[in-house]
Amino acid sequence: MSKYSIESFVNETKEKPEQRDYFELEKPALLEINLNNQSVWTKMGSMVSYVGNINFERQGMLSGGLGNLLKKAISGEGARLMKAEGTGKLYVADEGKKVRILYLNNESVCVNGNDVLAHEQSVKSDITMLKSIAGVMSGGLFQVRLSGTGHIAITTHGEPLTLMVTPDAPVFTDPNATVAWSGNLTPDLKTNVSFKSLIGRGSGEEFQMKFSGNGWVLIQPYEEVYRIER
C-alpha cells in the first residue's frame, strides 16, 4: 500500500479512540472534550465538530452575576463563551493556535481573554481589568481569572515560553504577547512615553506589563491584536 494512498492518509490522521480523558489533545491545535452528561464552557465560534448528543447555548450577558455585567458589556466577553452540554465528543480549535491543557487543583491562573479556549463548569471565571490608559490603548485591558478545580485549555501562537518572576527579578512583557500568569500576581502597566506619542503607535514596545513578586508569566512569540466581539 502506498504511503500516499487514501487509506494511509485516513490511518495517519484519524481520531485515536483509545484516548478518553475529559480534555484530550487530539492534535497540537485541536482539543477533544469527552462529555458524559456534562457541560463545559468553550470559546464562541471554536466548535469544529462533534459526535453524539450535544446542545449549545450562548452565554447571556448576565451569566456570572450582576458584578460582571458592565465589564462584559464593555469587553464583549459576555458574547464570547458558549455552553456545550450533553454526551459525546466535542472538538474545538481557534485559528490554528496551539492548545495547552492545564488542570487546576484549587488554584488560579489569569489568562488573556482571547486565549481562553475552554474550561470545565466547575472552574470559576471572572473578568479582571487593568486600570491604565496604556491598557486601553493596547487592547490588553481585559483578562479572565480562572480559579478552582478542573481542566482549562488555553491557546498560543507558536511555542510559548514561561518566565519565572522573583522579588529581585521582575519581568516586563509586551501586553500583546502575554498569554497567562500565575493567579497570585497582579501586573502593573507602565509606559515611559507621553500620551500623545501613543497615538498612531505601531507596536507594544512603548508600554509594558510589569510582573513583580513570586510566580510565572507565559509569553508567545507573536504580538496578537485582540478583537472585541459583540
Side-chain angles (χ1 to χ4, degrees), residues 133-148:
I133 186 62
V136 175
M137 298 298 293
S138 72
L141 181 62
F142 297 96
Q143 289 79 38
V144 179
R145 181 182 178 87
L146 300 171
S147 58

PDB file of all heavy atoms in Angstrom, residues 133-148:
ATOM      1  N   ILE A 133      -4.449  53.811  31.228  1.00  0.00           N
ATOM      2  CA  ILE A 133      -4.663  54.296  29.861  1.00  0.00           C
ATOM      3  C   ILE A 133      -3.845  53.479  28.875  1.00  0.00           C
ATOM      4  O   ILE A 133      -4.263  53.226  27.759  1.00  0.00           O
ATOM      5  CB  ILE A 133      -4.314  55.804  29.741  1.00  0.00           C
ATOM      6  CG1 ILE A 133      -4.689  56.321  28.339  1.00  0.00           C
ATOM      7  CG2 ILE A 133      -2.842  56.045  30.023  1.00  0.00           C
ATOM      8  CD1 ILE A 133      -6.146  56.241  28.017  1.00  0.00           C
ATOM      9  N   ALA A 134      -2.672  53.006  29.306  1.00  0.00           N
ATOM     10  CA  ALA A 134      -1.867  52.166  28.424  1.00  0.00           C
ATOM     11  C   ALA A 134      -2.598  50.875  28.109  1.00  0.00           C
ATOM     12  O   ALA A 134      -2.533  50.357  26.996  1.00  0.00           O
ATOM     13  CB  ALA A 134      -0.514  51.862  29.068  1.00  0.00           C
ATOM     14  N   GLY A 135      -3.323  50.343  29.093  1.00  0.00           N
ATOM     15  CA  GLY A 135      -4.087  49.127  28.855  1.00  0.00           C
ATOM     16  C   GLY A 135      -5.176  49.336  27.842  1.00  0.00           C
ATOM     17  O   GLY A 135      -5.424  48.496  26.987  1.00  0.00           O
ATOM     18  N   VAL A 136      -5.843  50.482  27.926  1.00  0.00           N
ATOM     19  CA  VAL A 136      -6.886  50.791  26.954  1.00  0.00           C
ATOM     20  C   VAL A 136      -6.294  50.882  25.563  1.00  0.00           C
ATOM     21  O   VAL A 136      -6.844  50.370  24.581  1.00  0.00           O
ATOM     22  CB  VAL A 136      -7.592  52.109  27.341  1.00  0.00           C
ATOM     23  CG1 VAL A 136      -8.602  52.502  26.271  1.00  0.00           C
ATOM     24  CG2 VAL A 136      -8.276  51.973  28.692  1.00  0.00           C
ATOM     25  N   MET A 137      -5.155  51.533  25.434  1.00  0.00           N
ATOM     26  CA  MET A 137      -4.545  51.718  24.121  1.00  0.00           C
ATOM     27  C   MET A 137      -4.055  50.405  23.549  1.00  0.00           C
ATOM     28  O   MET A 137      -4.057  50.208  22.338  1.00  0.00           O
ATOM     29  CB  MET A 137      -3.370  52.700  24.229  1.00  0.00           C
ATOM     30  CG  MET A 137      -3.760  54.090  24.695  1.00  0.00           C
ATOM     31  SD  MET A 137      -4.896  54.916  23.574  1.00  0.00           S
ATOM     32  CE  MET A 137      -3.818  55.125  22.153  1.00  0.00           C
ATOM     33  N   SER A 138      -3.635  49.483  24.400  1.00  0.00           N
ATOM     34  CA  SER A 138      -3.031  48.247  23.902  1.00  0.00           C
ATOM     35  C   SER A 138      -4.039  47.183  23.550  1.00  0.00           C
ATOM     36  O   SER A 138      -3.733  46.234  22.845  1.00  0.00           O
ATOM     37  CB  SER A 138      -2.078  47.661  24.958  1.00  0.00           C
ATOM     38  OG  SER A 138      -2.827  47.127  26.042  1.00  0.00           O
ATOM     39  N   GLY A 139      -5.264  47.307  24.070  1.00  0.00           N
ATOM     40  CA  GLY A 139      -6.239  46.242  23.876  1.00  0.00           C
ATOM     41  C   GLY A 139      -6.024  45.122  24.868  1.00  0.00           C
ATOM     42  O   GLY A 139      -6.680  44.100  24.803  1.00  0.00           O
ATOM     43  N   GLY A 140      -5.099  45.285  25.796  1.00  0.00           N
ATOM     44  CA  GLY A 140      -4.808  44.247  26.766  1.00  0.00           C
ATOM     45  C   GLY A 140      -5.415  44.535  28.122  1.00  0.00           C
ATOM     46  O   GLY A 140      -4.871  44.153  29.146  1.00  0.00           O
ATOM     47  N   LEU A 141      -6.557  45.246  28.155  1.00  0.00           N
ATOM     48  CA  LEU A 141      -7.147  45.671  29.412  1.00  0.00           C
ATOM     49  C   LEU A 141      -7.874  44.547  30.125  1.00  0.00           C
ATOM     50  O   LEU A 141      -7.906  44.499  31.339  1.00  0.00           O
ATOM     51  CB  LEU A 141      -8.114  46.822  29.145  1.00  0.00           C
ATOM     52  CG  LEU A 141      -8.827  47.439  30.354  1.00  0.00           C
ATOM     53  CD1 LEU A 141      -7.832  48.045  31.317  1.00  0.00           C
ATOM     54  CD2 LEU A 141      -9.820  48.486  29.891  1.00  0.00           C
ATOM     55  N   PHE A 142      -8.458  43.612  29.380  1.00  0.00           N
ATOM     56  CA  PHE A 142      -9.323  42.615  29.978  1.00  0.00           C
ATOM     57  C   PHE A 142      -8.660  41.243  30.013  1.00  0.00           C
ATOM     58  O   PHE A 142      -8.162  40.753  29.009  1.00  0.00           O
ATOM     59  CB  PHE A 142     -10.628  42.530  29.193  1.00  0.00           C
ATOM     60  CG  PHE A 142     -11.413  43.813  29.221  1.00  0.00           C
ATOM     61  CD1 PHE A 142     -11.294  44.726  28.189  1.00  0.00           C
ATOM     62  CD2 PHE A 142     -12.243  44.111  30.277  1.00  0.00           C
ATOM     63  CE1 PHE A 142     -11.992  45.914  28.215  1.00  0.00           C
ATOM     64  CE2 PHE A 142     -12.952  45.294  30.313  1.00  0.00           C
ATOM     65  CZ  PHE A 142     -12.832  46.203  29.280  1.00  0.00           C
ATOM     66  N   GLN A 143      -8.691  40.645  31.193  1.00  0.00           N
ATOM     67  CA  GLN A 143      -8.193  39.289  31.371  1.00  0.00           C
ATOM     68  C   GLN A 143      -9.251  38.458  32.078  1.00  0.00           C
ATOM     69  O   GLN A 143     -10.177  39.001  32.676  1.00  0.00           O
ATOM     70  CB  GLN A 143      -6.892  39.262  32.189  1.00  0.00           C
ATOM     71  CG  GLN A 143      -5.682  39.811  31.471  1.00  0.00           C
ATOM     72  CD  GLN A 143      -5.660  41.318  31.465  1.00  0.00           C
ATOM     73  OE1 GLN A 143      -6.031  41.951  32.439  1.00  0.00           O
ATOM     74  NE2 GLN A 143      -5.232  41.902  30.360  1.00  0.00           N
ATOM     75  N   VAL A 144      -9.109  37.148  32.011  1.00  0.00           N
ATOM     76  CA  VAL A 144     -10.033  36.243  32.686  1.00  0.00           C
ATOM     77  C   VAL A 144      -9.263  35.501  33.768  1.00  0.00           C
ATOM     78  O   VAL A 144      -8.232  34.878  33.492  1.00  0.00           O
ATOM     79  CB  VAL A 144     -10.666  35.236  31.697  1.00  0.00           C
ATOM     80  CG1 VAL A 144     -11.606  34.286  32.439  1.00  0.00           C
ATOM     81  CG2 VAL A 144     -11.415  35.977  30.590  1.00  0.00           C
ATOM     82  N   ARG A 145      -9.769  35.565  34.985  1.00  0.00           N
ATOM     83  CA  ARG A 145      -9.179  34.829  36.091  1.00  0.00           C
ATOM     84  C   ARG A 145      -9.948  33.524  36.258  1.00  0.00           C
ATOM     85  O   ARG A 145     -11.156  33.528  36.526  1.00  0.00           O
ATOM     86  CB  ARG A 145      -9.240  35.646  37.383  1.00  0.00           C
ATOM     87  CG  ARG A 145      -8.611  34.951  38.592  1.00  0.00           C
ATOM     88  CD  ARG A 145      -8.761  35.809  39.848  1.00  0.00           C
ATOM     89  NE  ARG A 145      -8.213  35.139  41.018  1.00  0.00           N
ATOM     90  CZ  ARG A 145      -6.949  35.203  41.403  1.00  0.00           C
ATOM     91  NH1 ARG A 145      -6.095  35.942  40.695  1.00  0.00           N
ATOM     92  NH2 ARG A 145      -6.531  34.570  42.472  1.00  0.00           N
ATOM     93  N   LEU A 146      -9.261  32.405  36.073  1.00  0.00           N
ATOM     94  CA  LEU A 146      -9.856  31.080  36.195  1.00  0.00           C
ATOM     95  C   LEU A 146      -9.387  30.473  37.508  1.00  0.00           C
ATOM     96  O   LEU A 146      -8.183  30.405  37.766  1.00  0.00           O
ATOM     97  CB  LEU A 146      -9.444  30.197  35.016  1.00  0.00           C
ATOM     98  CG  LEU A 146      -9.846  30.715  33.627  1.00  0.00           C
ATOM     99  CD1 LEU A 146      -9.198  29.880  32.533  1.00  0.00           C
ATOM    100  CD2 LEU A 146     -11.358  30.715  33.465  1.00  0.00           C
ATOM    101  N   SER A 147     -10.327  30.017  38.327  1.00  0.00           N
ATOM    102  CA  SER A 147      -9.951  29.514  39.648  1.00  0.00           C
ATOM    103  C   SER A 147     -10.823  28.332  40.040  1.00  0.00           C
ATOM    104  O   SER A 147     -11.950  28.176  39.565  1.00  0.00           O
ATOM    105  CB  SER A 147     -10.073  30.628  40.693  1.00  0.00           C
ATOM    106  OG  SER A 147     -11.383  31.155  40.729  1.00  0.00           O
ATOM    107  N   GLY A 148     -10.270  27.492  40.921  1.00  0.00           N
ATOM    108  CA  GLY A 148     -10.996  26.325  41.403  1.00  0.00           C
ATOM    109  C   GLY A 148     -10.282  25.043  41.051  1.00  0.00           C
ATOM    110  O   GLY A 148      -9.054  24.986  40.999  1.00  0.00           O
TER     111      GLY A 148
END
